[in-house]
Amino acid sequence: MPFDVALVVPLRGPAGIFGPSAELCAQLAAEEVNRSGGVLGRELRLIPVDGGAPPAVVAAEVEALVSAGAVQGVTGWHISSVRQAVAPRIAGRVPYVYTALYEGGERTDGVFLTSETPDVQLFPAMRLLSRERTARRWYVIGNDYVWPRRTARAAHRYAATHGLHIVGESYVPLATADFSEALRRIEISSADAVLMLLVGMDAVRFNRAFARAGLPGRCLRLSTLMDENMLLASGAPATRDLFSTAGFFANMITPENLDFHGRYAGRFGPEAPPLGSLGESCYEGVLLLAALVEQAGDLDVRAIGAHAESVSYEGPRGLLRLHGRHVNQRIYLAEARGVDFDIVTQLP
């Protein structure tokens, strides 16, 4: 009997831009797990679910798969509103490894996270840029849902205690094409930095509009959700003074990452979708899910939770362990150089 896993990744909407790389990274991980003996001796199979559908639709599909016994686990990158819809519907029934960076605070039974949170990802980056680039007055532009809203609230609290200022905010619906009003507000503000909390193609369109407005050079941009696929779509002229922070970048010079690149290219060819932190997170999700079940020796969520603190696995980000529900990992700040990222530093 196989070990079937619902792979929830966006195949449409703003986040669909990195859906293909997410699928391929998860597929590579599943194939490698199976070559090493599978999960409890069972073949790991991925059952795709479109995480770009409305949250209630995604949650209903995942719950139906779990209730029918068609999947024994869930993983993938999808936005927080999808996670909030899915998690309570399957709580305590199957292990659920969420791989997207998020606002923090997830405590649903059976949910484990490979993802970055503001305390280790955003705050150190803001601190560094305020010191090195005198970025003290920040404008927040985000999509109008839970992750940007709660992350912005956290940024407000951080700024208030570290001599920084949030001088304005704009929130737009997912799949926004016109950023003219937000750009007008940025132009008339005193901002010297913009915190981008935009998903996929929304961030791409914002980057292009930001460049057309002549704002690079006056305001740097910092995003906690920006990968190489999005840089490529933005175009080199739109990425000047753009920074990103994440646990993985494609050009990390480490033995683990170089080996990962070689395996990815060897399996899918040179024309495969570019590697980036968002797609690579799905590789991490499959590895962590397999490691959790193997360590527990059982599919029972309570048994998995009881053994979670002793779980470790090795992937492109190096040897990683769980701390509570979250993977404990290194976080980096990178600056866009055209359509690639150069790592500036590892954040404390």
Side-chain angles (χ1 to χ4, degrees), residues 3-323:
F3 177 66
D4 288 327
V5 175
L7 176 67
V8 186
V9 296
L11 304 178
R12 69 175 105 170
I17 185 173
F18 42 80
S21 64
E23 284 192 292
L24 293 187
C25 286
Q27 181 183 335
L28 181 62
E31 291 173 358
E32 292 177 352
V33 166
N34 288 333
R35 282 199 295 273
S36 298
V39 178
L40 302 181
R42 299 159 62 173
E43 178 191 6
L44 191 158
R45 301 192 309 190
L46 298 174
I47 309 299
V49 174
D50 182 7
V57 173
V58 181
E61 183 173 353
V62 173
E63 183 182 27
L65 289 169
V66 171
S67 296
V71 299
Q72 292 77 52
V74 177
T75 190
W77 194 106
H78 35 278
I79 64 174
S80 286
S81 52
V82 172
R83 185 196 77 253
Q84 288 188 325
V86 170
R89 303 275 288 264
I90 62 171
R93 299 166 68 186
V94 297
Y96 174 16
V97 176
Y98 184 65
T99 77
L101 61 104
Y102 84 116
E103 64 281 357
E106 177 58 67
R107 294 182 177 85
T108 306
D109 188 27
V111 178
F112 304 90
L113 307 105
T114 71
S115 40
E116 304 92 338
T117 51
D119 56 333
V120 297
Q121 182 188 25
L122 175 60
F123 301 162
M126 290 179 70
R127 180 167 62 245
L128 180 65
L129 291 171
S130 70
R131 184 175 71 241
E132 301 296 330
R133 294 292 305 272
T134 322
R136 298 191 177 278
R137 296 178 302 278
W138 292 76
Y139 194 101
V140 179
I141 172 72
N143 287 118
D144 193 5
Y145 74 99
V146 58
W147 165 63
R149 290 280 188 178
R150 291 190 181 176
T151 300
R153 287 207 295 268
H156 270 280
R157 292 192 297 270
Y158 179 80
T161 57
H162 289 80
L164 308 179
H165 305 279
I166 306 295
V167 298
E169 297 173 84
S170 295
Y171 296 94
V172 298
L174 286 163
T176 289
D178 181 3
F179 289 92
S180 56
E181 178 60 23
L183 289 167
R184 186 190 68 80
R185 292 182 181 183
I186 293 170
E187 286 184 286
I188 64 175
S189 76
S190 59
D192 47 37
V194 174
L195 174 57
M196 292 175 55
L197 303 173
L198 296 165
V199 175
M201 281 304 299
D202 286 19
V204 168
R205 286 187 284 263
F206 178 80
N207 282 337
R208 294 171 181 170
F210 191 85
R212 288 195 300 269
L215 286 169
R218 172 189 154 179
C219 296
L220 65 82
R221 283 161 288 167
L222 171 65
S223 174
T224 57
L225 198 169
M226 180 68 59
D227 79 342
E228 286 76 0
N229 288 278
M230 294 160 66
L231 278 189
L232 188 62
S234 298
T239 64
R240 176 188 170 196
D241 251 2
L242 172 60
F243 293 84
S244 180
T245 174
F248 176 89
F249 289 96
N251 66 348
M252 286 166 34
I253 307 301
T254 65
E256 298 91 349
N257 187 36
L258 293 173
D259 189 47
F260 177 57
H261 272 264
R263 299 196 312 275
Y264 183 83
R267 175 63 180 86
F268 302 115
E271 302 303 317
L275 284 170
S277 61
L278 309 179
E280 187 274 343
S281 74
C282 292
Y283 183 96
E284 303 281 338
V286 171
L287 290 191
L288 176 56
L289 184 57
L292 284 163
V293 175
E294 280 285 331
Q295 183 67 36
D298 201 312
L299 296 178
D300 181 75
V301 170
R302 286 172 296 181
I304 290 170
H307 291 85
E309 286 282 0
S310 58
V311 166
S312 65
Y313 69 95
E314 191 158 5
R317 304 185 189 202
L319 179 64
L320 300 180
R321 292 182 170 83
L322 278 176
H323 178 70

